[in-house]
């Protein structure tokens, strides 16, 4: 076995790496929820070898998280548009602030 194959990447290391990677895409709490859901679905495991993570598992997991973030943002936009069309927000500055957050 190679050197990195015998080094384990822990759950906290994986979580921190994923949070750091996606922190500019959405709130940390959303990323943590996605990570938790992936573990419940047995898609993301608690630990990997460093080489296993880098070669086989890291990219597919990141692709899944990216898709889930896109879906979350789409849902947020739809909810916002629904509220906007109901004319709940008359103030354009409030709408701009909400759009900037999503």
């Amino acid at each position: 076995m190679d050197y990195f194959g015998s080094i384990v990447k822990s759950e906290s290391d994986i979580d921190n790496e994923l949070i750091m990677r996606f922190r500019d895409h959405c709130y940390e709490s959303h990323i943590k929820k996605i990570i938790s859901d992936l573990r419940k679905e047995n898609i993301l495991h608690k630990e990997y070898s460093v080489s296993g993570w880098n070669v086989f598992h890291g990219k597919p997991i990141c692709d899944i998280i990216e898709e889930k973030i896109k879906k979350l943002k789409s849902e947020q936009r739809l909810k916002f548009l629904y509220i906007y069309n109901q004319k709940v927000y008359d103030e354009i500055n409030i709408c701009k602030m909400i759009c900037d957050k999503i």
Side-chain angles (χ1 to χ4, degrees), residues 36-47:
S36 174
D37 290 346
L38 291 176
R39 284 214 171 91
K40 286 177 187 172
E41 297 168 15
N42 206 25
I43 295 171
L44 177 63
H45 301 290
K46 290 190 180 265
E47 59 184 36

Side-chain angles (χ1 to χ4, degrees), residues 57-87:
H57 302 286
K59 183 172 180 349
I61 294 295
C62 288
D63 291 345
I64 291 168
I65 292 173
E66 201 170 297
E67 284 303 311
K68 289 187 177 281
I69 289 171
K70 285 179 185 176
K71 181 180 177 187
L72 175 69
K73 287 188 173 201
S74 293
E75 290 171 355
Q76 289 173 334
R77 286 184 191 103
L78 285 173
K79 289 175 185 176
F80 172 75
L81 287 173
Y82 174 78
I83 291 170
Y84 182 78
N85 285 331
Q86 298 298 315
K87 308 231 185 284

Side-chain angles (χ1 to χ4, degrees), residues 11-50:
E11 180 177 3
S12 63
D13 290 340
I14 293 167
D15 291 358
N16 290 334
E17 180 179 326
L18 294 172
I19 289 167
M20 293 298 288
R21 180 175 178 140
F22 292 103
R23 70 177 178 202
D24 294 334
H25 296 105
C26 71
Y27 292 113
E28 185 174 326
S29 60
H30 292 152
I31 300 169
K32 287 180 178 180
K33 172 80 168 89
I34 291 170
I35 291 169
S36 174
D37 290 346
L38 291 176
R39 284 214 171 91
K40 286 177 187 172
E41 297 168 15
N42 206 25
I43 295 171
L44 177 63
H45 301 290
K46 290 190 180 265
E47 59 184 36
Y48 295 89
S49 68
V50 170

Side-chain angles (χ1 to χ4, degrees), residues 1-9 47-59:
M1 189 181 290
D2 67 18
Y3 177 71
F4 290 111
S6 59
I7 298 175
V8 175
K9 191 170 190 74
E47 59 184 36
Y48 295 89
S49 68
V50 170
S51 59
W53 177 257
N54 291 336
V55 175
F56 301 109
H57 302 286
K59 183 172 180 349

